Short mmCIF file of all heavy atoms in Angstrom, two decimals:
data_model
loop_
_atom_site.label_atom_id
_atom_site.label_comp_id
_atom_site.label_asym_id
_atom_site.label_seq_id
_atom_site.Cartn_x
_atom_site.Cartn_y
_atom_site.Cartn_z
N THR V 1488 0.83 -1.19 0.00
CA THR V 1488 0.00 0.00 0.00
C THR V 1488 0.87 1.24 0.00
O THR V 1488 1.95 1.24 0.54
CB THR V 1488 -0.92 0.03 1.24
OG1 THR V 1488 -0.09 0.08 2.39
CG2 THR V 1488 -1.83 -1.16 1.28
N SER V 1489 0.38 2.28 -0.62
CA SER V 1489 1.09 3.55 -0.61
C SER V 1489 0.34 4.57 0.23
O SER V 1489 0.48 5.75 0.04
CB SER V 1489 1.28 4.06 -2.03
OG SER V 1489 0.03 4.24 -2.64
N GLY V 1490 -0.48 4.09 1.15
CA GLY V 1490 -1.28 4.97 1.97
C GLY V 1490 -0.54 5.60 3.11
O GLY V 1490 -1.10 6.32 3.90
N GLY V 1491 0.76 5.32 3.25
CA GLY V 1491 1.54 5.95 4.28
C GLY V 1491 1.56 5.19 5.59
O GLY V 1491 2.07 5.68 6.57
N SER V 1492 1.01 3.98 5.63
CA SER V 1492 1.03 3.21 6.87
C SER V 1492 2.40 2.61 7.08
O SER V 1492 3.16 2.40 6.14
CB SER V 1492 -0.03 2.11 6.83
OG SER V 1492 0.25 1.21 5.79
N ALA V 1493 2.72 2.32 8.32
CA ALA V 1493 4.01 1.75 8.66
C ALA V 1493 4.13 0.35 8.10
O ALA V 1493 3.15 -0.36 7.94
CB ALA V 1493 4.19 1.72 10.17
N SER V 1494 5.34 -0.06 7.80
CA SER V 1494 5.58 -1.39 7.28
C SER V 1494 5.27 -2.44 8.33
O SER V 1494 5.63 -2.30 9.49
CB SER V 1494 7.05 -1.49 6.85
OG SER V 1494 7.30 -2.73 6.28
N THR V 1495 4.58 -3.49 7.93
CA THR V 1495 4.25 -4.57 8.84
C THR V 1495 4.80 -5.87 8.31
O THR V 1495 5.28 -5.94 7.19
CB THR V 1495 2.72 -4.70 9.01
OG1 THR V 1495 2.17 -5.07 7.73
CG2 THR V 1495 2.09 -3.42 9.50
N SER V 1496 4.69 -6.95 9.10
CA SER V 1496 5.18 -8.24 8.65
C SER V 1496 4.42 -8.71 7.41
O SER V 1496 4.96 -9.42 6.59
CB SER V 1496 5.08 -9.27 9.77
OG SER V 1496 3.74 -9.44 10.15
N THR V 1497 3.17 -8.31 7.25
CA THR V 1497 2.41 -8.67 6.06
C THR V 1497 3.06 -8.03 4.83
O THR V 1497 3.20 -8.67 3.80
CB THR V 1497 0.95 -8.21 6.18
OG1 THR V 1497 0.39 -8.80 7.35
CG2 THR V 1497 0.14 -8.63 4.98
N ASP V 1498 3.48 -6.78 4.94
CA ASP V 1498 4.15 -6.11 3.83
C ASP V 1498 5.47 -6.79 3.49
O ASP V 1498 5.84 -6.86 2.33
CB ASP V 1498 4.42 -4.65 4.18
CG ASP V 1498 3.16 -3.84 4.37
OD1 ASP V 1498 2.12 -4.18 3.78
OD2 ASP V 1498 3.22 -2.85 5.11
N LEU V 1499 6.17 -7.29 4.50
CA LEU V 1499 7.45 -7.94 4.26
C LEU V 1499 7.28 -9.28 3.56
O LEU V 1499 8.24 -9.83 3.03
CB LEU V 1499 8.21 -8.15 5.58
CG LEU V 1499 8.73 -6.89 6.24
CD1 LEU V 1499 9.38 -7.22 7.58
CD2 LEU V 1499 9.72 -6.18 5.34
N ARG V 1500 6.08 -9.81 3.55
CA ARG V 1500 5.84 -11.10 2.88
C ARG V 1500 5.45 -10.91 1.42
O ARG V 1500 5.20 -11.90 0.72
CB ARG V 1500 4.75 -11.87 3.63
CG ARG V 1500 5.23 -12.31 4.99
CD ARG V 1500 4.20 -13.10 5.71
NE ARG V 1500 4.68 -13.39 7.06
CZ ARG V 1500 3.92 -13.82 8.02
NH1 ARG V 1500 2.64 -14.01 7.83
NH2 ARG V 1500 4.42 -14.05 9.21
N SER V 1501 5.42 -9.70 0.96
CA SER V 1501 5.14 -9.44 -0.43
C SER V 1501 6.21 -10.11 -1.28
O SER V 1501 7.39 -9.99 -1.02
CB SER V 1501 5.16 -7.92 -0.67
OG SER V 1501 4.96 -7.64 -2.03
N GLY V 1502 5.78 -10.86 -2.29
CA GLY V 1502 6.71 -11.57 -3.16
C GLY V 1502 7.07 -12.95 -2.68
O GLY V 1502 7.82 -13.66 -3.34
N MET V 1503 6.54 -13.37 -1.54
CA MET V 1503 6.85 -14.70 -1.00
C MET V 1503 6.24 -15.77 -1.89
O MET V 1503 5.12 -15.64 -2.36
CB MET V 1503 6.32 -14.85 0.43
CG MET V 1503 6.65 -16.19 1.05
SD MET V 1503 5.88 -16.45 2.65
CE MET V 1503 6.65 -15.17 3.62
N SER V 1504 6.98 -16.83 -2.09
CA SER V 1504 6.50 -17.95 -2.87
C SER V 1504 5.24 -18.53 -2.24
O SER V 1504 5.13 -18.63 -1.02
CB SER V 1504 7.59 -19.04 -2.91
OG SER V 1504 7.06 -20.23 -3.43
N ALA V 1505 4.28 -18.92 -3.07
CA ALA V 1505 3.03 -19.50 -2.57
C ALA V 1505 3.31 -20.78 -1.78
O ALA V 1505 2.58 -21.09 -0.85
CB ALA V 1505 2.10 -19.78 -3.74
N GLN V 1506 4.37 -21.49 -2.13
CA GLN V 1506 4.70 -22.73 -1.42
C GLN V 1506 5.16 -22.47 0.01
O GLN V 1506 5.07 -23.36 0.84
CB GLN V 1506 5.79 -23.49 -2.18
CG GLN V 1506 5.31 -23.98 -3.53
CD GLN V 1506 6.43 -24.61 -4.33
OE1 GLN V 1506 7.58 -24.22 -4.20
NE2 GLN V 1506 6.08 -25.57 -5.17
N GLY V 1507 5.62 -21.28 0.31
CA GLY V 1507 6.08 -20.97 1.66
C GLY V 1507 5.03 -20.32 2.53
O GLY V 1507 5.23 -20.14 3.72
N GLN V 1508 3.88 -19.98 1.96
CA GLN V 1508 2.84 -19.25 2.68
C GLN V 1508 2.33 -19.98 3.93
O GLN V 1508 1.93 -19.36 4.89
CB GLN V 1508 1.66 -18.95 1.76
CG GLN V 1508 2.00 -18.07 0.59
CD GLN V 1508 2.01 -16.60 0.94
OE1 GLN V 1508 1.29 -16.17 1.81
NE2 GLN V 1508 2.83 -15.83 0.24
N SER V 1509 2.33 -21.30 3.91
CA SER V 1509 1.78 -22.06 5.04
C SER V 1509 2.86 -22.63 5.95
O SER V 1509 2.56 -23.40 6.85
CB SER V 1509 0.91 -23.22 4.51
OG SER V 1509 1.69 -24.10 3.74
N ASN V 1510 4.11 -22.24 5.75
CA ASN V 1510 5.21 -22.76 6.54
C ASN V 1510 5.79 -21.66 7.42
O ASN V 1510 6.43 -20.74 6.92
CB ASN V 1510 6.28 -23.32 5.60
CG ASN V 1510 7.43 -23.98 6.34
OD1 ASN V 1510 7.74 -23.62 7.46
ND2 ASN V 1510 8.05 -24.94 5.68
N PRO V 1511 5.59 -21.74 8.74
CA PRO V 1511 6.08 -20.68 9.63
C PRO V 1511 7.60 -20.48 9.57
O PRO V 1511 8.07 -19.34 9.63
CB PRO V 1511 5.65 -21.14 11.02
CG PRO V 1511 4.52 -22.08 10.78
CD PRO V 1511 4.80 -22.73 9.46
N ALA V 1512 8.37 -21.56 9.43
CA ALA V 1512 9.83 -21.42 9.35
C ALA V 1512 10.22 -20.68 8.07
O ALA V 1512 11.12 -19.83 8.08
CB ALA V 1512 10.50 -22.80 9.40
N TYR V 1513 9.56 -20.99 6.98
CA TYR V 1513 9.81 -20.33 5.70
C TYR V 1513 9.46 -18.84 5.82
O TYR V 1513 10.22 -17.98 5.40
CB TYR V 1513 8.95 -20.99 4.61
CG TYR V 1513 9.27 -20.55 3.20
CD1 TYR V 1513 9.97 -21.37 2.34
CD2 TYR V 1513 8.84 -19.30 2.71
CE1 TYR V 1513 10.25 -20.98 1.04
CE2 TYR V 1513 9.12 -18.91 1.43
CZ TYR V 1513 9.82 -19.75 0.59
OH TYR V 1513 10.11 -19.35 -0.69
N GLN V 1514 8.28 -18.56 6.40
CA GLN V 1514 7.84 -17.17 6.55
C GLN V 1514 8.83 -16.36 7.38
O GLN V 1514 9.17 -15.23 7.04
CB GLN V 1514 6.47 -17.13 7.21
CG GLN V 1514 5.37 -17.69 6.35
CD GLN V 1514 4.05 -17.79 7.08
OE1 GLN V 1514 3.93 -17.42 8.24
NE2 GLN V 1514 3.04 -18.31 6.41
N GLN V 1515 9.32 -16.95 8.48
CA GLN V 1515 10.26 -16.24 9.34
C GLN V 1515 11.57 -15.98 8.61
O GLN V 1515 12.12 -14.87 8.66
CB GLN V 1515 10.52 -17.05 10.62
CG GLN V 1515 11.41 -16.32 11.61
CD GLN V 1515 10.77 -15.04 12.13
OE1 GLN V 1515 9.61 -15.04 12.54
NE2 GLN V 1515 11.50 -13.95 12.11
N ALA V 1516 12.09 -16.98 7.92
CA ALA V 1516 13.34 -16.82 7.18
C ALA V 1516 13.18 -15.77 6.07
O ALA V 1516 14.08 -14.96 5.84
CB ALA V 1516 13.78 -18.16 6.59
N TYR V 1517 12.04 -15.77 5.41
CA TYR V 1517 11.79 -14.82 4.33
C TYR V 1517 11.73 -13.39 4.87
O TYR V 1517 12.37 -12.48 4.33
CB TYR V 1517 10.49 -15.17 3.61
CG TYR V 1517 10.20 -14.29 2.42
CD1 TYR V 1517 10.71 -14.59 1.17
CD2 TYR V 1517 9.41 -13.14 2.55
CE1 TYR V 1517 10.46 -13.78 0.07
CE2 TYR V 1517 9.16 -12.33 1.47
CZ TYR V 1517 9.67 -12.65 0.23
OH TYR V 1517 9.43 -11.86 -0.87
N THR V 1518 10.96 -13.18 5.95
CA THR V 1518 10.85 -11.82 6.49
C THR V 1518 12.18 -11.35 7.08
O THR V 1518 12.53 -10.17 6.95
CB THR V 1518 9.73 -11.70 7.55
OG1 THR V 1518 9.93 -12.67 8.57
CG2 THR V 1518 8.36 -11.91 6.93
N ASP V 1519 12.95 -12.26 7.68
CA ASP V 1519 14.28 -11.89 8.18
C ASP V 1519 15.18 -11.44 7.03
O ASP V 1519 15.91 -10.45 7.15
CB ASP V 1519 14.94 -13.06 8.92
CG ASP V 1519 14.28 -13.36 10.25
OD1 ASP V 1519 13.49 -12.52 10.75
OD2 ASP V 1519 14.55 -14.44 10.81
N CYS V 1520 15.12 -12.15 5.93
CA CYS V 1520 15.92 -11.79 4.75
C CYS V 1520 15.50 -10.43 4.21
O CYS V 1520 16.36 -9.58 3.92
CB CYS V 1520 15.74 -12.86 3.66
SG CYS V 1520 16.57 -12.49 2.10
N MET V 1521 14.21 -10.18 4.13
CA MET V 1521 13.74 -8.88 3.63
C MET V 1521 14.16 -7.74 4.56
O MET V 1521 14.55 -6.67 4.09
CB MET V 1521 12.21 -8.90 3.46
CG MET V 1521 11.73 -9.83 2.35
SD MET V 1521 12.29 -9.37 0.70
CE MET V 1521 11.14 -8.08 0.33
#
């Protein structure tokens, strides 16, 4: 969003592979990388 809201963990998951969406370890590693 460009509405000026602060970045959240949902925003950090933008571009995440669909295969990793249901895996908490994958999600954590992805957001840490971003």
Side-chain angles (χ1 to χ4, degrees):
T1488 62
S1489 60
S1492 62
S1494 182
T1495 64
S1496 62
T1497 303
D1498 295 333
L1499 291 176
R1500 292 182 185 165
S1501 177
M1503 182 186 296
S1504 169
Q1506 294 174 329
Q1508 297 278 330
S1509 62
N1510 184 332
Y1513 189 105
Q1514 292 173 1
Q1515 185 63 49
Y1517 184 87
T1518 54
D1519 289 346
C1520 176
M1521 293 297 280

